[in-house]
Amino acid sequence: MPLYRAPVKDTLFVLEAVAGLYNHGNVPGFEAVSPDLVEAVLSEGGKFCAEVLAPLNLPGDRQGCTRHADGSVTAPDGFREAYRQFCEGGWGGLIADPHHGGQGLPYTIGAVLQEFIAASNMAFGMYPGLSEGAQAAIEVVGSPEQKAKWLPPMVQGRWTGTMNLTEPHCGTDLGLIRTRAEPNADGTWSITGTKIFISAGEHDLSENIIHLVLAKTPGAPDSVKGISLFIVPKFIVNDDGSLGARNAVSCGSIEHKMGIHANATCVMNYDGATGWMLGEEMKGLAAMFIMMNAARLGVGIQGLAQADAAYQNAVEYAKSRLQGRSLTGPKNPDCKADPIIVHPDVRRMLMDARAYTEGMRALVLWGAIRVDLSRKAPDAAERELADDLISLLTPVIKGYGTDRGYEVATNCQQVLGGHGYIAEWGMDQFVRDARIAMIYEGTNGIQALDLVGRKLGSKGGRGTQTWLGLVGADLAAASDERLAFITQPLARALGDIQAGVMWLLQNGMANPDNAGAGATAFMRMMGHVALGHMWLKMSTASLAALDAGTSDPDFFSAKLTTARFFAARVLPETQSLKSQLEAGAETVMALPAEMF
C-alpha cells in the first residue's frame, strides 16, 4: 500500500520564508493568522489526509464509481464516510466567507490543504474542489438572494457543485455550444442540452448537487458573446431551503478514464431542467472564468501533489531495495548488495523530483498570497499589482506545473523498475492521475498559447515587466557570494527569458504561427525561471537560518544542496529552450497536412 505523509514542516518554512504569510496582518482574513494557528491547521489537515484519505486512494481507484439503472451514482466504498468526516471537520469551509458559515481563512491556507488532499487522494479531492469553484462564482456574480440560498449549504458541504462547459462537439471553443436556455413565465429558465466530462456530476456524497451550466438564450449571438451561466440543481430547492422534486438533469453515463477512477466523470443530460440565471445574460463566460481560473491553479496544485506522493514512495523504495554495488565501492558491506539510492542515476531522478516538488510548492504558495492580496489588500494599487502577477503566472502554474509533475511521477515510477509497473505498488496510479492534469481545465498547449498570446502583453505588458523586475531585484539584492551558485545561473536564465519576450514581440506579431510554435518552449523557460526565483528565496532564507544557529541545520543544509542541483542541472535548460523558441514556425508548419 502506498504511503503518504503531509509535508507540514516544509510547508511551514515556505509560508514564512518565501510566501510571507505573516507579513499581511492588515489584510482582511489575515488578522488572526499566527504561526501556532497555521501549524495546528496544517498538522490536523495532514493527519486527516494521511489517516483517512490516503488509505482509500488505491482501493478507490480499483473499485471506481458505479452508475445504477436509475442514473444514480455511488462513489467507492469508504468515500461517503470520509466525506462526512471532511464536512464535520470543517475542511470544506476553511476559506469560505464567515457570512455563509465559513472560517474566513486566507486562500493560501486553502491552497496548502488542496495539495495535501490531492496528494493523498486526488479523486476524492475533486468532489469538494469543484464545489469551491462553484461557490466562488456565486459569491462574485450572484445576487444577494442567490448567495443566501445556495452558499450556506455548499459551505457546510451538504450540497456540492460542478462546472458544465464541455459538449460532445466542442471543448476549448465554447462558442460552439448548443445547450439552450428558454425563459419561463416565473423567471426561471428551461435548460436543454448535453455536457460531457463533468467531474463529480453525479454521486452519493452530498444531499444536492448544484450544477453551473453554460447555455445560450434565444436570439443570443452564436459565439462566446452569447453565452449565459445558470444554476441548475439536482433537486429543486423550496423557499424554506428544503429539497423538493428531482430536476430534469441526469447522468447518462460515467466516462471510462485512464485515471481518477474514484471520481465520477459524467455525461450530463439536461432535459428541460429548471435553472436560474447567474449574473447577467450573455456574460456567462466571464462568470465561468472565475471558476476556471481558480480551477487552473488547483490543477497546478494537483501536478505538484501527484509528484510529491510519487516522490515519497520512490524514496522509501530506493532506501530499502538492494540491487548492485555502488560505483565507488560497497556502502552496505554486510549484505550482498547496496540500496539503490547509492546509484547516481537513481539519485538523479530523486533529486529532480525533490527540486521540482519543493520549488513548485514555493511557487504555488507565493502565487496564492498574490490571490489573497488581489482580492483583499486594502490598497487598490496593491490589489492591482497582485492581480497582474497571478494572472501572468496562472498558465505557468497550471501548464508548466503539470507537465513537470507528470515527468516527476513517471521518473519516480521508474525508480521502482518492474515493481513500478505492477499495480499493487500504486506508482502507476500516480502516473495515471497526474496525466489528466495536463489535459483538463485547458490543455497545456492552450495554457502556453494563453501565456504568450494574452498574458505577456496584457495591459501593455505591465504584469510581465513587474515579474521580470521582481526577479531582477531579488538577484541584485542577493550580494552574499555564497549564493553565487544560484544567482549566476538564474541571471543567465533571466536573460534568456527576457530575450524570449523580445523575440516573441518582434516575430509573433509578424507571424502568429511563430508564437504558437514556440509557446510551449517559452512556458517551460518561464517555469524554470519562476522556480529558480523561488530557490533563490529559499537559499537566502536557509543561509540566514544557518548563520543564526538554527536547531535544525540538516533541514536548511538539504535546502541548499537541492538548490545547487536545480541551479546546475535545470536552469541551464533555458538556453536550449530559447533556441527552440527562436527556430520559429518554419519547420513546424512546413509539412503539408496530407503528408502526415
Side-chain angles (χ1 to χ4, degrees):
M1 178 72 72
L3 60 86
Y4 176 69
R5 292 184 292 270
V8 174
K9 183 177 182 179
D10 190 63
T11 302
L12 291 172
F13 163 72
V14 169
L15 286 172
E16 181 172 4
V18 178
L21 178 65
Y22 309 114
N23 300 335
H24 303 288
N26 64 327
V27 177
F30 283 73
E31 308 95 328
V33 173
S34 67
D36 288 344
L37 172 68
V38 173
E39 183 171 3
V41 171
L42 267 57
S43 296
E44 285 303 308
K47 181 180 178 182
F48 173 77
C49 291
E51 296 181 0
V52 178
L53 299 185
L56 297 175
N57 196 37
L58 184 60
D61 177 71
R62 289 179 173 175
Q63 182 182 0
C65 297
T66 304
R67 179 185 179 277
H68 305 283
D70 62 356
S72 64
V73 173
T74 52
D77 296 341
F79 271 52
R80 187 179 175 89
E81 171 60 21
Y83 184 73
R84 182 189 66 77
Q85 294 181 50
F86 176 86
C87 295
E88 289 180 352
W91 299 113
L94 201 65
I95 65 173
D97 191 326
H99 288 101
H100 306 306
Q103 299 172 51
L105 288 175
Y107 168 82
T108 303
I109 303 300
V112 173
L113 266 295
Q114 281 188 54
E115 182 200 333
F116 293 179
I117 292 169
S120 60
N121 197 320
M122 180 168 154
F124 176 93
M126 293 171 66
Y127 292 100
L130 269 294
S131 190
E132 282 188 16
Q135 292 171 47
I138 296 172
E139 179 69 55
V140 173
V141 302
S143 66
E145 295 77 17
Q146 288 174 329
K147 294 177 187 180
K149 180 175 185 177
W150 304 106
L151 288 178
M154 295 179 76
V155 170
Q156 295 167 16
R158 293 192 295 112
W159 302 351
T160 54
T162 72
M163 54 191 297
N164 285 236
L165 293 81
T166 307
E167 300 185 6
H169 61 284
C170 72
T172 301
D173 189 356
L174 291 171
L176 300 176
I177 67 170
R178 296 172 183 162
T179 299
R180 296 292 168 180
E182 298 289 340
N184 297 320
D186 61 358
T188 63
W189 296 77
S190 181
I191 312 299
T192 302
T194 296
K195 300 289 185 176
I196 64 171
F197 304 159
I198 308 306
S199 300
E202 171 64 21
H203 56 82
D204 62 338
L205 303 187
S206 61
E207 299 170 7
N208 202 3
I209 302 174
I210 312 305
H211 303 288
L212 298 194
V213 184
L214 290 181
K216 292 179 179 177
T217 54
D222 195 19
S223 67
V224 292
K225 295 181 179 180
I227 297 175
S228 300
L229 183 61
F230 298 86
I231 297 174
V232 187
K234 175 180 176 179
F235 291 100
I236 301 297
V237 179
N238 298 320
D239 291 339
D240 62 359
S242 63
L243 299 184
R246 175 70 185 257
N247 206 352
V249 53
S250 62
C251 170
S253 64
I254 298 176
E255 306 285 5
H256 298 281
K257 309 184 296 290
M258 175 179 172
I260 51 169
H261 295 148
N263 191 271
T265 306
C266 301
V267 174
M268 300 301 297
N269 296 321
Y270 294 84
D271 301 304
T274 300
W276 288 259
M277 184 174 289
L278 181 60
E280 298 180 43
E281 186 172 1
M282 294 186 286
K283 297 292 180 64
L285 194 58
M288 184 62 86
F289 260 105
I290 297 167
M291 284 190 74
M292 290 177 66
N293 287 331
R296 285 172 175 175
L297 291 172
V299 172
I301 293 172
Q302 288 178 341
L304 160 64
Q306 293 309 293
D308 190 50
Y311 167 69
Q312 291 188 28
N313 286 274
V315 167
E316 290 296 314
Y317 184 86
K319 288 180 177 179
S320 60
R321 176 68 167 174
L322 302 179
Q323 289 285 287
R325 284 297 191 191
S326 167
L327 298 176
T328 56
K331 300 297 186 291
N332 192 18
D334 295 333
C335 295
K336 293 182 177 180
D338 291 327
I340 64 172
I341 200 168
V342 306
H343 301 308
D345 197 58
V346 172
R347 285 292 191 103
R348 172 188 62 81
M349 291 186 284
L350 293 178
M351 285 300 296
D352 185 69
R354 183 186 183 99
Y356 164 76
T357 54
E358 294 183 10
M360 191 65 188
R361 181 173 298 119
L363 180 61
V364 162
L365 297 181
W366 188 87
I369 289 288
R370 268 60 269 162
V371 173
D372 278 314
L373 295 178
S374 71
R375 295 173 178 175
K376 298 181 178 180
D379 181 65
E382 188 177 9
R383 290 196 301 273
E384 191 172 51
L385 172 65
D387 186 66
D388 285 348
L389 288 168
I390 194 58
S391 295
L392 175 71
L393 288 171
T394 292
V396 178
I397 290 172
K398 195 282 184 186
Y400 173 85
T402 58
D403 276 348
R404 293 284 287 120
Y406 178 72
E407 289 174 18
V408 167
T410 301
N411 282 338
C412 288
Q413 181 188 36
Q414 183 78 11
V415 169
L416 273 70
H419 291 296
Y421 202 67
I422 302 301
E424 67 187 79
W425 289 83
M427 300 301 287
D428 71 302
Q429 184 184 355
F430 300 135
V431 173
R432 290 184 287 104
D433 287 357
R435 190 65 184 86
I436 184 56
M438 303 164 70
I439 298 172
Y440 58 15
E441 304 308 336
T443 65
N444 286 358
I446 295 296
Q447 302 303 317
L449 287 173
D450 180 46
L451 175 63
V452 303
R454 295 179 64 245
K455 299 301 173 60
L456 285 182
S458 178
K459 301 177 183 177
R462 188 174 67 192
T464 303
Q465 293 306 313
T466 299
W467 177 72
L468 292 171
L470 282 176
V471 180
D474 283 348
L475 277 168
S479 57
D480 191 327
E481 62 181 16
R482 293 175 296 174
L483 291 169
F485 73 88
I486 182 75
T487 57
Q488 292 177 6
L490 180 57
R492 287 192 293 268
L494 180 61
D496 290 335
I497 203 79
Q498 289 169 325
V501 171
M502 292 303 299
W503 189 92
L504 285 168
L505 289 175
Q506 294 167 4
N507 297 277
M509 294 181 66
N511 179 2
D513 280 345
N514 282 328
T520 293
F522 182 84
M523 181 175 70
R524 193 174 181 96
M525 288 172 66
M526 191 164 164
H528 283 349
V529 173
L531 259 63
H533 185 208
M534 296 300 105
W535 274 114
L536 172 61
K537 288 178 174 292
M538 288 188 283
S539 297
T540 303
S542 296
L543 277 179
L546 290 168
D547 288 346
T550 175
S551 60
D552 192 1
D554 288 348
F555 175 84
F556 295 103
S557 295
K559 281 288 178 191
L560 291 169
T561 299
T562 309
R564 288 181 182 275
F565 175 93
F566 186 87
R569 299 188 67 98
V570 179
L571 280 177
E573 289 183 7
T574 60
Q575 299 169 39
S576 61
L577 291 166
K578 176 172 169 285
S579 296
Q580 292 178 33
L581 171 68
E582 293 175 350
E586 182 180 356
T587 57
V588 174
M589 305 302 293
L591 196 63
E594 60 270 16
M595 294 181 67
F596 278 84

